[in-house]
């Protein structure tokens, strides 16, 4: 297909439009037509690029948020925009880091566990050591959320879906942008971007700085980003794109407190110690993508990437001195372990797609070579146990190497999709993927490993999706699918052998662990409808997620070994999540608009018959534990009902005033279903004003904004996690029982404000 050349200014837009046609881009949601269903069937799935996005024949629930919407909202963290999508929640603390969750798939452990959701940034399946995701919020072109098992496309850890982030790109960023924001607790943000475009291609470079003292005690943070994108037109049908991002992040505490009394009296956590502190994180992302429309209805995509994560932090507050004396919580800088973590993810992916009449297909190759290094050492002399003096066997000297291990991970995968229309209104979709994952683990001699330890383990896992879409009319679709997801055991779970999180007894290795699997069932509808004369886009879905063989430590959350039970990881049980979701969105250009996102979830442990809760101090020779059978209990931190609504008023082209309500019902804070995390309803106000400059500033667009979060100054808990009996936050003593004064709680922020100004010229 030969392209028609256009003027310098118009060529990028014309080229992009033609590229969409040549690359089989499907039909926008608002342009449903029965005639389109009679035409060529196009594959729109991809794990590399966003140019094939569509909903019309998609058999799974999907949602999208534009970068323009994100820029207008000026979020401090990503959940402030993602909460407008039904079924999306997140673990947040201070700053802008978060762990995204879909459909109530909750992390049973809350440090160092992946979230069960694939996080994909420009085709790169990225994650940080804690499972959290950090990204420059000012460099997002779009976010797409795919629900249901997504391992058929993205592989490991896509148990219940994927969050696909595409960074800014294209000729529309030509020119210059500067911005500055100010807010409560010393928050400030500055941005500068320069964009350029021509017959050769387009690109931009931007730098962002964010900093805040934050609401929580010693939880200040600072982030600096340098990122950009360059796209080169190689010919009439091909291009080459390079994206990069470098960030430096520092952060102290997470803002947690211990128990309900401290949450009320000391909500910022001035007394006591987080388990981890003093984060210094360096991230670097680099990716390059080649695209070629080889012929009408044929496209080739190839991408290569590298993602580096270097994280250093403190952990394990010192409880006992080298002389056996108790260290009080008031000694806030007394920590025992210095952690140095290196992660490198490298990969190559390729996709070839095509169509012929009523059939479309996709074939993909996914190769990954990842490496994870842990090097942890003692910061001070300390004793492991209280009440027994500090015998040499319990004493650890400063500088002692505690962990020194390397994991090399290799992933080789093939995946594909077949889509065809057996009848005018029907589109059937089938996906399949096969992964071979290999782990090579080695641990050098440390204080806990007396001889070098090396092991290898591999997993072969197949995943798939089968679905259908029925176009009942020009404005009504029904869809359904069955899909799978999986998560493989980590090297730490297979070969732990090092200290448990309480630095007490060793966790036994278990190299017989099996991958966790999830089976997702979903039915739903998409429609263009009218309510009280107002047009809405509607999507509704009902689903069930059945998980089996999920992996936990046999002694419960952060338990320890005792004379009756050796701590180790096992495929300990199952979970079933059932729910319904509803999304209503009106035209954002109307004078009055309303968006609604509702989710109902019932998440239950179908098998979890061994949960050992530690009562009293875990720092004694044989800790006291109590056995629970949690089978049939509700999964903690999964509210039954969530509702997010945004009502907006646009009096003219310049103003937009939005009032958001975000409500969650109560949930349990623990697996034994004893302590409740109360529900809450928050209101947030956002005002935007856009105006074009005149005179010497003609052509400049000014955007002013202001937002107030927690408008009514609601007192609430952001999250609460209960595991075992905890030390009193004042005295450091254990009372031997578990109640509402033991969970780790992050208190929600009181009312706070942000204002800012952006200039585009």
């Amino acid at each position: 297909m030969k392209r028609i050349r256009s003027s310098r200014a118009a060529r990028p837009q014309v080229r992009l439009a033609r590229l969409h046609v040549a690359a089989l881009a499907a039909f926008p949601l608002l342009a449903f037509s029965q005639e389109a269903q009679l035409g060529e069937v196009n594959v729109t799935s991809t794990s590399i690029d966003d140019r094939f996005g569509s909903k019309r024949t998609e058999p799974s629930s999907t949602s999208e948020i534009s970068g323009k919407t994100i820029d207008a909202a000026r979020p401090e963290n990503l959940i402030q925009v993602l909460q407008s999508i039904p079924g999306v929640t997140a673990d947040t603390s201070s700053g802008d880091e978060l762990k995204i969750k879909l459909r109530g798939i909750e992390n049973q452990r809350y440090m160092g566990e992946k979230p069960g959701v694939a996080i994909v940034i420009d085709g790169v399946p990225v994650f940080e050591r804690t499972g959290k995701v950090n990204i420059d919020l000012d460099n997002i072109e779009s976010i797409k959320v795919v629900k249901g098992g997504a391992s058929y496309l993205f592989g490991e850890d896509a148990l219940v879906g994927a969050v696909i982030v595409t960074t800014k790109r294209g000729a529309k960023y030509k020119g210059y942008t500067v911005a500055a924001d100010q807010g409560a607790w010393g928050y400030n943000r500055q941005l500068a971007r320069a964009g350029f475009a021509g017959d050769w291609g387009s690109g931009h470079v931007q730098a962002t700085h964010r900093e805040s003292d934050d609401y929580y005690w010693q939880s200040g943070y600072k982030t600096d980003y340098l990122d950009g994108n360059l796209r080169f037109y190689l010919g009439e049908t091909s291009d080459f794109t390079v994206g990069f991002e470098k960030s430096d992040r520092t952060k102290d505490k997470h803002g947690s407190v211990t128990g309900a009394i401290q949450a009320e009296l000391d909500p910022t956590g001035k007394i006591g110690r987080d388990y981890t502190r003093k984060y210094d994180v360096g991230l670097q992302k680099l990716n390059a993508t080649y695209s070629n429309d080889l012929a009408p209805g044929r496209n080739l995509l190839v991408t290569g990437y590298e993602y580096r994560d270097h994280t250093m932090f403190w952990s394990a507050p010192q409880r006992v001195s080298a002389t056996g004396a108790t260290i009080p919580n008031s000694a806030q800088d007394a920590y025992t372990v210095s952690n140095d973590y290196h992660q490198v993810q490298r990969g190559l992916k390729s996709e070839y797609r095509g169509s012929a009449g009523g059939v479309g297909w996709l074939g993909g190759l996914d190769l990954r070579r990842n490496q994870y290094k842990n090097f942890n050492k003692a910061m001070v002399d300390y004793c492991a146990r209280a009440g027994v003096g500090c015998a040499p066997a319990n004493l650890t000297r400063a500088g002692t190497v505690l962990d020194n291990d390397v994991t090399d991970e290799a992933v080789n995968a093939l995946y594909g999709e077949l889509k065809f229309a057996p009848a005018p209104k029907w589109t059937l979709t089938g996906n399949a993927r096969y992964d071979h994952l290999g782990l090579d683990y080695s641990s050098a001699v440390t204080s806990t490993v007396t001889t070098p330890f090396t092991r290898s383990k591999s997993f072969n896992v197949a995943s798939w999706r089968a679905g259908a879409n029925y176009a009942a009319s020009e404005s009504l679709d029904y869809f359904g699918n069955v899909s799978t997801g999986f998560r493989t055991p980590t090297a730490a779970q297979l070969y732990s052998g090092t200290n448990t999180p309480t630095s007490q007894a060793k966790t036994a290795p278990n190299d017989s662990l099996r991958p966790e699997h999830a089976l997702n069932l979903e039915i739903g509808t998409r429609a263009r409808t009218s309510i009280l004369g107002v047009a809405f886009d509607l999507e509704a879905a009902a689903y069930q997620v059945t998980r089996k063989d999920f992996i936990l430590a046999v002694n419960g959350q952060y338990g320890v070994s005792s004379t009756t039970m050796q701590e180790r990881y096992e495929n300990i049980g199952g979970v079933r999540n059932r729910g319904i979701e509803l999304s209503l969105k009106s035209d954002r250009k109307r004078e009055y608009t309303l968006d609604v996102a509702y989710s109902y979830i019932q998440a239950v442990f179908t098998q979890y018959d061994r949960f050992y809760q530690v009562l009293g101090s875990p720092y004694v020779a044989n800790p006291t534990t109590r056995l629970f059978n949690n089978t049939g209990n509700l999964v903690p931190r999964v509210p039954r009902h969530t509702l997010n609504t945004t009502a907006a008023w646009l009096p003219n082209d310049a103003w937009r005033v939005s009032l958001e309500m975000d409500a969650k019902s109560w949930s349990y804070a623990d697996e034994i279903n004893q302590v409740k995390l109360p529900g809450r309803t928050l209101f947030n106000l956002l005002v935007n004003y856009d105006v074009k400059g005149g005179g010497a500033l003609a052509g400049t667009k000014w955007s002013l904004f202001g937002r107030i979060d927690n408008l009514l100054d609601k007192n609430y808990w952001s999250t609460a996690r209960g595991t075992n009996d905890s030390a009193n936050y004042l005295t450091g003593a254990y009372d031997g029982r578990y109640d509402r004064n033991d969970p780790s709680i992050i208190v929600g922020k009181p009312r706070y404000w942000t204002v800012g100004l952006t200039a585009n010229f």
Side-chain angles (χ1 to χ4, degrees):
M1 180 180 69
K2 185 176 180 180
R3 296 181 182 229
I4 301 174
R5 291 203 174 265
S6 57
S7 67
R8 179 183 296 265
R11 184 172 183 251
Q13 288 81 3
V14 173
R15 185 181 185 284
L16 184 60
R18 292 180 179 274
L19 183 62
H20 275 210
V21 174
L24 310 177
F27 319 105
L29 175 63
L30 302 184
F32 285 177
S33 65
Q34 189 169 333
E35 289 74 21
Q37 281 293 100
L38 294 172
E40 191 173 55
V41 171
N42 303 316
V43 171
T44 58
S45 297
T46 178
S47 67
I48 298 178
D49 198 89
D50 71 336
R51 67 188 73 189
F52 309 106
S54 172
K55 276 191 174 185
R56 185 71 221 257
T57 60
E58 176 61 42
S60 299
S61 177
T62 63
S63 300
E64 294 189 38
I65 299 176
S66 70
K68 184 178 180 181
T69 299
I70 297 170
D71 290 343
R74 293 293 207 284
E76 186 181 7
N77 59 61
L78 204 55
I79 193 57
Q80 289 176 307
V81 292
L82 288 179
Q83 63 193 14
S84 65
I85 298 176
V88 180
T89 57
D91 289 341
T92 60
S93 53
S94 61
D96 57 356
E97 67 173 25
L98 76 163
K99 184 180 291 187
I100 300 171
K101 299 182 289 186
L102 293 179
R103 291 182 168 174
I105 298 301
E106 165 65 25
N107 307 96
Q108 264 49 64
R109 294 172 68 87
Y110 49 91
M111 291 187 292
E113 184 184 58
K114 290 184 283 187
V117 179
I119 307 297
V120 182
I121 303 176
D122 290 335
V124 181
V126 303
F127 64 89
E128 295 180 28
R129 65 164 301 280
T130 58
K132 294 181 171 65
V133 58
N134 289 299
I135 185 174
D136 186 356
L137 296 172
D138 298 296
N139 192 35
I140 297 177
E141 179 74 12
S142 66
I143 300 176
K144 182 177 181 179
V145 177
V146 179
K147 301 172 192 172
S151 291
Y152 63 85
L153 197 59
F154 300 103
E156 205 266 338
D157 204 42
L159 289 173
V160 287
V163 176
I164 306 159
V165 178
T166 302
T167 57
K168 283 184 165 64
R169 62 193 59 194
K172 63 183 176 181
Y173 296 106
K174 181 179 180 181
Y176 301 93
T177 300
V178 294
D181 300 345
Q182 293 290 323
W185 308 301
Y187 174 78
N188 67 88
R189 161 189 170 269
Q190 299 87 41
L191 176 145
R193 179 171 61 238
F196 33 86
D199 286 339
W200 59 271
S202 62
H204 76 273
V205 178
Q206 79 175 31
T208 309
H209 172 84
R210 290 174 184 256
E211 187 173 2
S212 176
D213 296 331
D214 209 10
Y215 167 68
Y216 306 103
W217 176 250
Q218 294 182 330
S219 293
Y221 66 90
K222 181 172 66 175
T223 64
D224 289 287
Y225 284 98
L226 178 65
D227 42 43
N229 183 277
L230 298 172
R231 174 172 285 177
F232 301 95
Y233 303 144
L234 304 180
E236 294 296 329
T237 62
S238 62
D239 60 41
F240 181 73
T241 302
V242 177
F244 63 91
E245 177 181 295
K246 186 179 186 303
S247 69
D248 295 300
R249 316 169 61 87
T250 58
K251 174 184 174 178
D252 198 346
K253 294 173 67 175
H254 290 83
S256 63
V257 299
T258 301
I261 292 178
Q262 187 181 9
E264 180 180 357
L265 301 179
D266 178 29
T268 65
K270 291 183 179 180
I271 302 172
R273 295 174 288 179
D274 282 359
Y275 187 80
T276 58
R277 278 190 64 190
K278 296 290 186 180
Y279 281 84
D280 187 348
V281 182
L283 304 177
Q284 180 177 299
K285 303 183 183 78
L286 179 66
N287 61 286
T289 301
Y290 170 75
S291 177
N292 195 337
D293 301 334
L294 301 173
R298 303 290 188 276
N299 176 266
L300 174 68
L301 281 174
V302 181
T303 190
Y305 60 85
E306 180 181 87
Y307 173 42
R308 292 180 175 269
D309 174 356
H310 183 194
T311 298
M312 295 183 292
F313 62 100
W314 298 353
S315 68
Q318 186 177 6
R319 311 291 183 183
V320 186
S321 73
T323 63
T326 300
I327 301 295
N329 275 338
S330 58
Q332 294 200 358
D333 290 336
Y335 281 74
T336 61
V337 181
S338 172
N339 301 264
D340 191 345
Y341 174 82
H342 287 261
Q343 170 181 298
V344 179
Q345 295 176 254
R346 295 188 179 100
L348 178 69
K349 291 197 289 187
S350 179
E351 293 179 354
Y352 178 75
R353 72 191 60 242
S355 64
V359 179
W361 64 87
L362 162 74
L365 172 68
D366 188 352
L367 304 176
R368 308 178 193 177
R369 298 296 182 267
N370 305 325
Q371 186 177 77
Y372 315 103
K373 294 182 178 180
N374 287 291
F375 183 81
N376 305 332
K377 63 182 181 180
M379 299 171 60
V380 296
D381 295 345
Y382 67 93
C383 192
R385 291 174 179 167
V388 294
C390 203
N394 296 323
L395 178 64
T396 300
R397 292 293 186 185
T400 300
V401 176
L402 304 174
D403 292 289
N404 185 11
D405 60 74
V406 178
T407 302
D408 290 301
E409 179 184 51
V411 178
N412 302 309
L414 293 171
Y415 60 96
E417 178 173 315
L418 179 65
K419 181 173 288 189
F420 69 101
K425 295 184 178 183
W426 284 93
T427 303
L428 305 183
T429 302
N431 295 81
R433 176 173 169 131
Y434 183 81
D435 283 83
H436 175 78
L437 301 95
L439 296 176
D440 291 319
Y441 174 81
S442 62
S443 179
V445 175
T446 68
S447 64
T448 57
V449 179
T450 56
T451 58
F453 180 84
T454 60
R455 290 291 188 275
S456 295
K457 182 76 173 181
S458 63
F459 301 95
N460 298 307
V461 188
S463 49
W464 50 270
R465 177 181 69 165
N469 190 95
Y470 176 72
S473 69
E474 294 182 1
S475 58
L476 177 63
D477 277 9
Y478 297 103
F479 64 89
N481 74 89
V482 182
S483 57
T484 64
F486 71 92
R487 173 195 282 162
T488 54
T490 65
Q493 293 167 337
L494 291 163
Y495 310 116
S496 187
T498 56
N499 288 352
T500 66
T502 55
S503 299
Q504 293 301 301
K506 295 178 182 179
T507 302
N510 182 9
D511 62 1
S512 63
L513 286 172
R514 302 179 300 277
E516 176 182 349
H517 290 273
L519 178 66
N520 293 258
L521 309 175
E522 180 183 44
I523 58 172
T525 183
R526 301 184 187 96
R528 178 73 167 171
T529 187
S530 179
I531 302 175
L532 299 177
V534 178
F536 285 92
D537 294 324
L538 177 148
E539 181 169 300
Y543 64 87
Q544 176 175 291
V545 183
T546 304
R547 296 166 63 192
K548 67 175 183 178
D549 290 336
F550 77 82
I551 301 168
L552 281 177
V554 296
N555 279 14
Q557 304 294 42
Y558 305 103
V560 294
S561 293
S562 67
T563 56
T564 58
M565 177 62 69
Q566 171 69 53
E567 176 82 327
R568 75 170 188 166
Y569 291 96
E570 291 185 0
N571 295 104
I572 204 165
V575 178
R576 183 184 64 239
N577 290 32
R578 289 173 174 167
I580 58 174
E581 296 171 348
L582 173 66
S583 173
L584 282 173
K585 292 185 177 296
S586 59
D587 187 350
R588 288 178 58 87
K589 296 181 180 180
R590 290 178 52 88
E591 180 178 359
Y592 298 98
T593 66
L594 177 66
D595 293 349
V596 178
Y598 170 75
S599 178
Y600 169 86
I601 304 175
Q602 185 186 56
V604 178
F605 291 113
T606 56
Q607 181 185 346
Y608 192 179
D609 54 7
R610 286 180 295 166
F611 179 95
Y612 287 86
Q613 184 182 69
V614 178
L615 298 177
S617 174
Y619 305 100
V620 296
N622 189 29
T624 300
T625 60
R626 180 182 177 187
L627 175 63
F628 287 88
N629 184 346
N630 293 331
T631 302
N633 284 2
L634 296 177
V635 177
R637 297 168 294 279
V638 181
R640 187 71 59 92
H641 305 276
T642 61
L643 175 64
N644 182 275
T645 66
T646 300
W649 175 45
L650 288 72
N652 53 48
D653 292 338
W655 287 95
R656 182 180 181 87
V657 181
S658 304
L659 180 64
E660 178 189 42
M661 182 190 75
D662 189 67
K664 290 180 171 62
S665 62
W666 68 271
S667 58
Y668 284 110
D670 49 40
E671 283 77 359
I672 66 173
N673 287 185
Q674 180 172 323
V675 177
K676 287 186 177 181
L677 171 59
R680 90 294 187 277
T681 300
L682 305 179
F683 290 89
N684 308 310
L685 179 67
L686 177 64
V687 179
N688 296 92
Y689 178 71
D690 298 329
V691 63
K692 292 185 177 180
L697 297 177
T700 301
K701 180 181 177 181
W702 300 87
S703 298
L704 294 89
F705 92 100
R707 65 177 295 156
I708 301 176
D709 289 87
N710 194 2
L711 180 65
L712 302 183
D713 203 20
K714 176 76 172 180
N715 294 321
Y716 69 101
W717 296 354
S718 178
T719 191
R721 296 180 177 276
T723 54
N724 305 308
D725 181 21
S726 299
N728 184 283
Y729 75 99
L730 290 174
T731 66
Y734 294 86
D735 61 10
R737 64 176 184 269
Y738 172 78
D739 56 31
R740 63 192 301 268
N741 287 312
D742 291 310
S744 174
I745 299 168
I746 295 179
V747 179
K749 294 180 180 180
R751 180 171 50 233
Y752 63 100
W753 58 273
T754 315
V755 296
L757 172 67
T758 300
N760 295 282
F761 52 94

